[in-house]
Amino acid sequence: MIFAGCTAVVKTQVKSVAENFIEMFDGLEDCAEREQKQKILEISSLMEEMDRKELCCVLAFHLFIVIDKMIDEKKLTLENALVLLKNIGYCKEMKYIRSIWFEEPPLIKIFQKLIINEEKKKEEKNERRLIDLCECYLLLNDEEIPDELLSIIVPCLLKIASKKDKTEEIQKEVETALLALGNIGFWELEEELYLKEMKDIINYHQKHHNLTRLAYQSAWQFFIYRFFNDDSLEEVIANKLHFAREARREIEELTRCIDWKRKKEGRRRKEAKEVRIIKRWIQTFEKFFLSCSLWNEEYEEIIGSIVRVFRASKDKYREICKGCISSLRNAAQNRDVKVDDLLKGRAVDAVLEEIQRPTLNGKIAFESLQFFTNVSRRLKEEADGETDEAKRKLEKRKIFEKMEVEGYEDLIISFHEIFYFIDKKKNINIICCC
């Protein structure tokens, strides 16, 4: 057995779906190529059923080293391995797992070499194999990507992502390519490598609606990561492609699609794809608020949308709830986001609601306190030409009145002690607003 000795460990840690995965994976090496393809489809379905902890557990058992060994010993064809690895990468992305195990040699080095060698071919180049290699590499790799590889991978996948056919097969191809591109992260890219093509992809969708929801979110995620290192893109993002307007519409439509109060059925409930996409949008907002500066009415409405997602998710989807609080914390930190907009969007109310939960998560508590820390600091800053002293005092009074109405007279005072403790322990420079 490939995973000999692992099943007993899994049995004590996670539910039976992981055991089924291991047993089915163990049987791959004894199958003919055609039967392997069918088993890989079944394995992929099992990965979809796994929760985040289960998939992490399975990946931790040197899965990529085992796959590399099977390829080397010709017990698994490269084509079948690519299908399997792409499905692993898709699930890893949708379940928010950092794939540290893929970075173990030799598989990542082999993929880098295969991509470069396939690109160098002239007459015998296998375009489908190159695409699969590029998608697998991006979906599974969370570390630095060499410039030589980016110059091959980005144009290759943008070519696929630019397909406009609305057939289910093409939409899936486009979705996978954009999902992979969205996982490039913060690595810098020359605008010549992507800007025109990605603008065209988003513009075309806004007119013809040819992308899936996941594909569209992934296209924006790719753009926001580029913006983090190149603020010259904000004019394109804000005023030409209307990120705020589009993002708000997407998450509000997704919010209406989800039964937020649905109870678990039996031992597990497969998470709806819409829930996963909302998680990705909230993560994108977290990154966006760190750098945005062209604050306008479209952006103001994002605050309200985040608060609505927070209220819908806070009882059943605590991970989304935490992401919402983190996004609001980053918004409060950004000097271009007006404190008054946080009030109008009911962000202050939302964070206060979270703090008074009887079972408050420690990480969410810290994010919530940081939100008020950021608001405190902003209220203490000198007026900037748009906000005069009278308006600043009015905003400050509104915030404290909300806290008093909710019964937070004592908490206002205790914030001083909490901030002082964080300042001493975390080396954070905090200025309270009294």
Side-chain angles (χ1 to χ4, degrees):
M1 287 178 65
I2 296 169
F3 278 111
C6 291
T7 305
V9 177
V10 172
K11 189 176 293 185
T12 64
Q13 293 181 348
V14 295
K15 299 174 184 177
S16 61
V17 66
E19 297 174 69
N20 293 336
F21 174 94
I22 289 172
E23 290 170 7
M24 193 168 293
F25 191 94
D26 276 334
L28 273 181
E29 63 179 353
D30 300 320
C31 298
E33 182 178 350
R34 182 174 296 181
E35 189 181 354
Q36 273 186 351
K37 288 182 179 179
Q38 180 57 39
K39 279 190 174 292
I40 286 169
L41 292 177
E42 295 173 16
I43 287 171
S44 300
S45 294
L46 285 174
M47 287 190 293
E48 276 287 314
E49 292 179 28
M50 291 181 190
D51 62 25
R52 189 174 183 272
K53 181 184 289 187
E54 289 169 336
L55 187 58
C56 279
C57 184
V58 167
L59 293 178
F61 286 130
H62 307 295
L63 183 65
F64 298 115
I65 292 176
V66 173
I67 292 173
D68 172 61
K69 183 178 179 183
M70 291 174 69
I71 296 170
D72 188 54
E73 295 176 353
K74 302 191 184 307
K75 295 178 179 179
L76 182 65
T77 66
L78 179 60
E79 284 68 27
N80 281 349
L82 288 172
V83 174
L84 176 60
L85 288 166
K86 192 187 295 188
N87 288 332
I88 292 172
Y90 180 93
C91 289
K92 164 252 175 189
E93 270 299 284
M94 298 305 289
K95 298 178 194 294
Y96 302 94
I97 298 171
R98 289 195 74 253
S99 191
I100 56 175
W101 307 280
F102 181 69
E103 293 143 24
E104 298 177 18
L107 196 56
I108 191 170
K109 299 295 183 185
I110 291 172
F111 267 64
Q112 291 173 348
K113 184 177 180 181
L114 286 172
I115 290 170
I116 292 169
N117 289 345
E118 196 66 50
E119 173 64 18
K120 287 180 178 177
K121 292 180 182 178
K122 299 300 180 184
E123 297 178 0
E124 299 180 1
K125 183 186 294 186
N126 186 329
E127 294 287 352
R128 183 68 256 173
R129 177 180 289 183
L130 179 60
I131 293 164
D132 289 341
L133 285 166
C134 292
E135 289 176 343
C136 284
Y137 182 77
L138 288 187
L139 288 170
L140 293 169
N141 179 46
D142 291 313
E143 294 301 311
E144 184 173 2
I145 304 171
D147 289 341
E148 182 183 11
L149 277 177
L150 286 172
S151 66
I152 297 170
I153 291 172
V154 174
C156 173
L157 296 190
L158 280 175
K159 184 178 179 181
I160 301 302
S162 298
K163 291 184 177 181
K164 297 177 172 58
D165 198 316
K166 288 187 178 183
T167 63
E168 185 176 346
E169 181 181 358
I170 295 300
Q171 281 195 325
K172 185 63 178 178
E173 285 186 25
V174 171
E175 179 181 273
T176 305
L178 286 171
L179 183 67
L181 287 167
N183 196 43
I184 287 178
F186 295 113
W187 309 118
E188 292 189 44
L189 295 175
E190 296 293 330
E191 287 188 4
E192 293 76 15
L193 205 59
Y194 70 89
L195 185 55
K196 180 183 182 303
E197 290 81 358
M198 193 60 78
K199 282 171 57 181
D200 289 345
I201 288 168
I202 289 176
N203 271 324
Y204 189 85
H205 172 75
Q206 289 175 351
K207 295 176 183 177
H208 303 282
H209 306 288
N210 63 305
L211 300 177
T212 65
R213 290 195 186 280
L214 176 58
Y216 192 44
Q217 187 281 327
S218 298
W220 275 115
Q221 181 168 304
F222 174 88
F223 242 138
I224 299 305
Y225 276 124
R226 308 285 71 73
F227 167 54
F228 193 82
N229 288 315
D230 182 5
D231 56 13
S232 68
L233 288 174
E234 187 162 17
E235 174 64 26
V236 174
I237 290 170
N239 296 330
K240 294 183 180 178
L241 298 177
H242 300 282
F243 166 71
R245 181 194 69 193
E246 293 292 300
R248 180 177 58 83
R249 179 181 52 76
E250 285 289 308
I251 64 170
E252 291 189 351
E253 288 181 6
L254 285 163
T255 299
R256 289 194 290 270
C257 292
I258 298 168
D259 180 1
W260 294 100
K261 298 186 181 300
R262 181 183 174 191
K263 295 180 180 179
K264 286 190 176 183
E265 299 167 357
R267 290 193 305 161
R268 64 172 63 248
R269 173 171 59 81
K270 185 176 178 181
E271 191 172 75
K273 192 171 185 177
E274 291 84 1
V275 172
R276 298 176 183 179
I277 299 171
I278 279 187
K279 286 183 181 179
R280 291 171 62 84
W281 274 115
I282 297 299
Q283 278 195 337
T284 301
F285 289 147
E286 285 186 61
K287 309 296 188 301
F288 174 73
F289 282 133
L290 291 174
S291 304
C292 69
S293 61
L294 292 178
W295 196 251
N296 56 34
E297 290 182 2
E298 289 184 1
Y299 286 166
E300 290 172 15
E301 294 179 358
I302 286 184
I303 301 294
S305 296
I306 293 172
V307 170
R308 285 188 285 277
V309 172
F310 161 80
R311 290 212 165 101
S313 66
K314 65 180 181 178
D315 292 328
K316 300 290 184 181
Y317 295 90
R318 298 297 291 162
E319 190 176 347
I320 296 179
C321 175
K322 178 181 178 297
C324 291
I325 298 293
S326 297
S327 294
L328 295 174
R329 177 207 63 193
N330 288 350
Q333 180 178 320
N334 189 325
R335 287 183 172 84
D336 293 297
V337 180
K338 297 178 178 62
V339 173
D340 193 46
D341 293 333
L342 297 173
L343 283 165
K344 288 189 292 185
R346 302 185 69 81
V348 174
D349 303 74
V351 181
L352 282 172
E353 288 173 20
E354 185 59 29
I355 286 179
Q356 70 178 339
R357 287 179 66 94
T359 56
L360 182 60
N361 174 279
K363 291 181 180 179
I364 298 180
F366 183 77
E367 299 284 353
S368 301
L369 290 172
Q370 286 287 38
F371 171 86
F372 284 109
T373 300
N374 291 332
V375 171
S376 298
R377 186 181 295 115
R378 297 282 307 284
L379 289 171
K380 288 288 288 184
E381 290 172 352
E382 293 183 0
D384 62 3
E386 291 185 8
T387 305
D388 58 25
E389 183 65 14
K391 186 174 181 180
R392 184 189 72 83
K393 288 182 177 179
L394 177 62
E395 289 171 350
K396 177 178 174 180
R397 187 168 68 251
K398 284 180 181 178
I399 290 172
F400 277 82
E401 283 174 354
K402 286 178 181 294
M403 299 173 100
E404 289 168 350
V405 167
E406 297 293 333
Y408 277 88
E409 296 91 344
D410 293 336
L411 184 58
I412 295 170
I413 297 171
S414 69
F415 274 170
H416 290 280
E417 298 178 6
I418 295 169
F419 292 159
Y420 176 76
F421 174 79
I422 295 172
D423 189 32
K424 297 288 287 184
K425 296 294 183 182
K426 301 293 184 181
N427 196 29
I428 297 173
N429 182 28
I430 295 169
I431 304 173
C432 293
C433 61
C434 283

